[in-house]
Amino acid sequence: MIAVLGLIAGIVLGLVLQPTIPLWMQPYLPIAVVAALDAVFGAFRAYLDGTFDERVFVISFIGNVLVAALVVFLGDQLGVGSQLSTGVVVVLSIRIFVNAAAIRRHLFHA
Amino acid sequence: MPDPSAASRPKAEGPSDGTTSAAWAKVRHAMHPKANGGQLVVGVLFAVLGFALVTQVRSAQGAEALASARPDDLVRILDDLQERQDRLQAEAAALAATRDELLGGADQAGAALDRARDQAQTLGIVAGTLPASGPGITVTVIDREGGVDAALLLDAVQELRDAGAEAIQIDGQRIVASTAIVETPEGIEIDGEPVEPPYDVVVIGDPETLASALAIPGGVLESVRNAGGDGLVEQRATVDVTALKPLDQPEYARPAP
């Protein structure tokens, strides 16, 4: 519940404040968002599995975001930034699909 | 994972419903607020996620999309734009060429029309269908003794034509290529119309040349005097040949292709 409230609060805050993304953050924000989404789906799945743990979620959320940003940063430094961010997005997308499938099995048994 | 025993059974039966409803119960349970520290941290993280999501979506939609693009992407976008520009420029050049062609065509058509109009006017003056005005002479041929005959008038016309006369009228009759000057018992007829002396001749052309052409020894004026008449020549800056000759549509002749 608090998670949903927090999500809504964040969206409203973003719409109201209309922040401009700092330049240094611009390449990393989309990847970080995708990584966070992956963590959220993973957490939801774990919750339905009954193995959800808040500490694990917080660490995986922050860890995912940081690692994704780090990978993209490294890619930029190596000159393969766009390819690597594509790769990160693909991997995270696959994980999101797998987690979504598990959630679907839990909730709809299908 | 679902209950292994459920996997071996047909889907819609009890235990599988049991796991599904248990999952839904968990979801419902999660919707009840429990304010402990862990939940708050999770909520804050979700707030951060929502904030970042909205921010990113907004920046990806706006013109900031370019600002956040990578150099590689920017180069690609630039290439695309360059290519598009080249294509559009080529198209613009082709269209401009077509436009010039069309304008030139219109000019040519206009020029042709002007030429045709000029030619029609020239032909109208030659054929006697248009009134003409210009420098020239007037000649009054007085015939006291009836000695001025058609042949003498025709001589005068020929002499004037030799001297470059461009339009001639005699007593209100336009003299053109097909004009006939005929001697009849009643007098002289020009194109079937009787004319009476004195004959008023109006000629457009170079006045000096025309006047001297008539005045040469053994020429028209001398012949008229010999015939018992007289000719008065006046040079004028402007004379008007106003007599018109109706144009007959040729019955047989057609323009050769």
Side-chain angles (χ1 to χ4, degrees):
Chain A
M1 182 66 183
I2 290 181
V4 175
L5 286 180
L7 189 64
I8 292 170
I11 289 174
V12 169
L13 215 59
L15 287 176
V16 170
L17 291 183
Q18 307 231 331
T20 306
I21 308 169
L23 200 61
W24 59 266
M25 211 198 246
Q26 275 174 352
Y28 310 115
L29 189 63
I31 304 296
V33 167
V34 175
L37 279 177
D38 171 48
V40 165
F41 274 85
F44 192 39
R45 182 200 177 173
Y47 182 75
L48 292 178
D49 281 344
T51 57
F52 180 72
D53 182 76
E54 279 147 7
R55 215 181 108 256
V56 172
F57 170 70
V58 170
I59 290 173
S60 80
F61 186 102
I62 295 172
N64 258 6
V65 167
L66 288 182
V67 168
L70 185 70
V71 167
V72 175
F73 173 76
L74 270 181
D76 273 345
Q77 299 307 307
L78 295 173
V80 289
S82 63
Q83 292 93 323
L84 212 51
S85 47
T86 306
V88 169
V89 168
V90 167
V91 168
L92 292 175
S93 303
I94 290 172
R95 284 175 46 121
I96 288 174
F97 268 103
V98 168
N99 285 330
I103 293 166
R104 197 190 62 222
R105 271 197 296 278
H106 272 297
L107 291 184
F108 305 107
H109 206 73
Chain B
M1 282 295 287
D3 183 4
S5 63
S8 62
R9 289 159 189 261
K11 264 185 179 176
E13 289 188 12
S16 63
D17 281 353
T19 48
T20 306
S21 57
W24 281 109
K26 278 181 184 172
V27 171
R28 274 195 297 277
H29 175 68
M31 284 298 132
H32 292 294
K34 291 177 297 180
N36 60 33
Q39 288 273 316
L40 279 179
V41 172
V42 172
V44 168
L45 284 184
F46 270 84
V48 169
L49 171 62
F51 187 75
L53 200 65
V54 168
T55 306
Q56 175 59 29
V57 166
R58 268 192 49 251
S59 94
Q61 279 169 350
E64 291 172 43
L66 274 186
S68 64
R70 282 157 205 296
D72 292 356
D73 293 342
L74 286 175
V75 168
R76 188 178 45 74
I77 292 170
L78 199 61
D79 278 353
D80 285 353
L81 286 176
Q82 192 75 47
E83 227 168 79
R84 186 142 171 265
Q85 187 193 5
D86 288 349
R87 221 171 31 241
L88 288 176
Q89 266 174 357
E91 202 181 326
L95 288 174
T98 308
R99 189 201 59 191
D100 289 350
E101 210 172 280
L102 289 174
L103 283 179
D107 280 356
Q108 278 177 5
L113 196 62
D114 286 347
R115 268 202 307 280
R117 206 171 280 135
D118 288 349
Q119 200 171 21
Q121 280 178 353
T122 307
L123 290 174
I125 290 171
V126 171
T129 56
L130 289 177
S133 160
I137 59 171
T138 59
V139 187
T140 308
V141 179
I142 302 161
D143 182 16
R144 297 191 196 88
E145 299 165 16
V148 176
D149 57 1
L152 193 48
L153 275 185
L154 194 57
D155 274 349
V157 169
Q158 301 289 23
E159 194 67 58
L160 290 168
R161 280 178 178 156
D162 274 350
E166 292 172 353
I168 306 171
Q169 76 176 32
I170 299 177
D171 269 9
Q173 291 290 312
R174 188 73 169 262
I175 307 300
V176 296
S178 64
T179 298
I181 301 175
V182 183
E183 186 84 39
T184 67
E186 287 79 29
I188 298 173
E189 283 182 3
I190 297 178
D191 281 342
E193 295 287 326
V195 290
E196 301 286 336
Y199 308 108
D200 289 321
V201 185
V202 183
V203 188
I204 294 176
D206 180 39
E208 300 259 348
T209 313
L210 290 173
S212 55
L214 292 179
I216 53 169
V220 172
L221 287 180
E222 198 174 322
S223 301
V224 168
R225 280 184 206 112
N226 288 343
D230 203 359
L232 304 173
V233 177
E234 274 186 68
Q235 300 184 22
R236 294 196 186 171
T238 308
V239 294
D240 293 317
V241 173
T242 52
L244 298 183
K245 179 125 179 75
L247 190 64
D248 294 329
Q249 196 70 28
E251 192 176 348
Y252 301 105
R254 293 283 176 272

